[in-house]
Amino acid sequence: MRIGIYGGTFNPIHIGHTSLAQSLIEQRLVDEVWLMVSPQNPMKQPSADDYNHRVNMAIIATKGMPHVQVSDFERNLPLPSYTITTLNQLSLTYPQHQFTLIIGADNWQRFNHWYHADEIQRRYPILIYKRPGYDIDPQSLPPTINIVDTPLYDVSSTEIRNHKKLKMISPDVLKYIRTHHLYSY
Ligand code: ATP
């Protein structure tokens, strides 16, 4: 199967994330999307301590999305989780699947700074989804890198953590956040 690897901290997961995954499935760009919950993003603050909560919320938010799986595969990989390590380990563990990296146009701008960016590009197809304010010229991309159109939702996890835009998360995730008093809720 063609598996799209969509990584993030998902702290917490919101409608922007789930709609994007669903759209890639509906456009048949991949057969499944695996939401790769990162214990620690090399470019963000460490947040490994709330890992189980972030995984649980992702599972709750994707209930009823049969082609979207939540993966904690990076739990057992060295920290920080570098994408190339994850992709190579996934390929070894699941030789029957082909892995495609899914990243936002915001991340594409910084992609050159990613650990072993060349190897990622050489070994794995990349799907770049559009983000407002980050235009990319498709002509500048090699054939294994494609830009995809997905619905755009104006929301970030930061806003949810700051008690804003609560309509942009699943009610069950909000319930989970309140039950566990996450983000001072
Ligand atoms: P934070 O506000 O904590 O920085 P975030 O909302 O950007 O978080 P991440 O966990 O970093 O969420 O999300 C993983 C990836 O999802 C990001 O690299 C980004 O490209 C993408 N993403 C974030 N928000 C949206 C959105 N509203 N629509 C589509 N993609 C999004």
Side-chain angles (χ1 to χ4, degrees):
M1 276 200 293
R2 296 168 308 155
I3 311 290
I5 297 300
Y6 176 27
T9 39
F10 303 110
N11 188 28
I13 189 165
H14 54 64
I15 281 173
H17 299 133
T18 48
S19 309
L20 169 75
Q22 188 60 29
S23 169
L24 297 174
I25 300 288
E26 283 168 9
Q27 296 186 56
R28 298 185 190 282
L29 293 165
V30 288
D31 301 308
E32 282 190 359
V33 171
W34 291 4
L35 290 183
M36 191 57 60
V37 184
S38 169
Q40 188 186 327
N41 179 328
M43 308 214 184
K44 288 195 180 184
Q45 290 290 319
S47 57
D49 48 342
D50 54 20
Y51 190 61
N52 287 334
H53 285 316
R54 292 186 284 119
V55 170
N56 290 342
M57 290 188 283
I59 291 171
I60 291 168
T62 55
K63 209 170 45 189
M65 299 175 72
H67 302 287
V68 179
Q69 310 285 337
V70 175
S71 175
D72 68 348
F73 189 81
E74 289 185 346
R75 189 192 290 275
N76 299 316
L77 297 182
L79 289 175
S81 353
Y82 290 114
T83 300
I84 187 62
T85 313
T86 305
L87 289 169
N88 286 346
Q89 286 301 322
L90 282 167
S91 303
L92 286 173
T93 310
Y94 303 98
Q96 71 276 33
H97 294 322
Q98 297 94 50
F99 293 96
T100 293
L101 178 64
I102 298 166
I103 63 170
D106 52 336
N107 276 326
W108 177 249
Q109 304 260 323
R110 296 190 295 261
F111 188 75
N112 276 342
H113 300 286
W114 285 25
Y115 185 66
H116 289 203
D118 286 354
E119 187 185 344
I120 298 177
Q121 276 198 57
R122 206 171 50 246
R123 297 195 58 184
Y124 301 95
I126 302 178
L127 285 176
I128 305 175
Y129 54 90
K130 294 185 181 170
R131 298 297 311 275
Y134 296 91
D135 285 338
I136 299 171
D137 173 12
Q139 310 281 8
S140 65
L141 301 173
T144 55
I145 305 183
N146 287 291
I147 301 185
V148 295
D149 262 315
T150 55
L152 296 173
Y153 289 88
D154 182 13
V155 58
S156 68
S157 299
T158 305
E159 288 169 311
I160 306 296
R161 292 196 300 278
N162 291 335
H163 301 206
K164 294 186 187 129
K165 302 197 181 167
L166 298 191
K167 291 213 169 78
M168 303 302 255
I169 55 173
S170 121
D172 288 340
V173 170
L174 183 57
K175 204 158 136 193
Y176 184 97
I177 289 173
R178 291 200 162 122
T179 303
H180 295 275
H181 307 295
L182 305 181
Y183 322 118
S184 312
Y185 274 85

